[in-house]
Amino acid sequence: QVHLVESGGGLVQAGGSLRLSCAASGRTFSDYVMGWFRRAPGKEREFVTAISRSGGDTEYTDSVKGRFSIFRDNAKNTVYLQMNSLKPEDTAVYYCAAYRGTILSRTSLRYGSWGQGTQVTVSS
């Protein structure tokens, strides 16, 4: 398992931006597909985005396409989520996740390592 710690959440007005970071330790970071998931109040956890081990491939849920961007720095063992044009419906706890695979996945059950989550609140 890889240990994950998220940071960068906070309160922002609609239309604003935030960058989340997820620092990994304990294993070879570049062996892991990385993903971001979120859980909004009263809703189930949902997939947001994922990035391949090299960073060359990414996948996004439709609601964030064009607004969010995932990227990673394998030298720093960190994955980032740049969130622009934020909307109140983006309010959620955001979780970083990792799994030791080769394909991108939207399925949370594939991911064996999870961070503790960071709160993002977007006010209208």
Side-chain angles (χ1 to χ4, degrees):
Q1 301 285 0
V2 61
H3 182 61
L4 304 173
V5 178
E6 302 99 333
S7 60
L11 173 64
V12 63
Q13 289 188 333
S17 298
L18 280 174
R19 177 178 291 186
L20 306 183
S21 300
C22 173
S25 63
R27 291 290 187 268
T28 304
F29 182 64
S30 58
D31 285 348
Y32 290 83
V33 169
M34 300 299 297
W36 286 95
F37 292 76
R38 65 187 180 186
R39 187 192 301 272
K43 296 186 177 181
E44 294 186 354
R45 182 170 56 190
E46 66 169 348
F47 169 81
V48 178
T49 180
I51 189 167
S52 63
R53 296 183 300 179
S54 68
D57 293 318
T58 58
E59 191 169 321
Y60 298 89
T61 193
D62 286 347
S63 62
V64 308
K65 284 181 181 177
R67 300 189 298 121
F68 289 13
S69 179
I70 186 172
F71 57 101
R72 65 192 294 165
D73 186 337
N74 285 347
K76 295 183 177 180
N77 293 345
T78 302
V79 62
Y80 304 91
L81 180 61
Q82 178 66 43
M83 304 185 294
N84 300 326
S85 302
L86 282 161
K87 304 175 180 180
E89 51 264 43
D90 294 318
T91 294
V93 178
Y94 283 72
Y95 298 91
C96 171
Y99 95 92
R100 199 168 182 179
T102 57
I103 61 171
L104 301 183
S105 176
R106 296 173 176 244
T107 305
S108 61
L109 290 177
R110 281 187 180 269
Y111 292 80
S113 299
W114 292 83
Q116 81 288 352
T118 186
Q119 177 70 47
V120 171
T121 303
V122 184
S123 62
S124 58

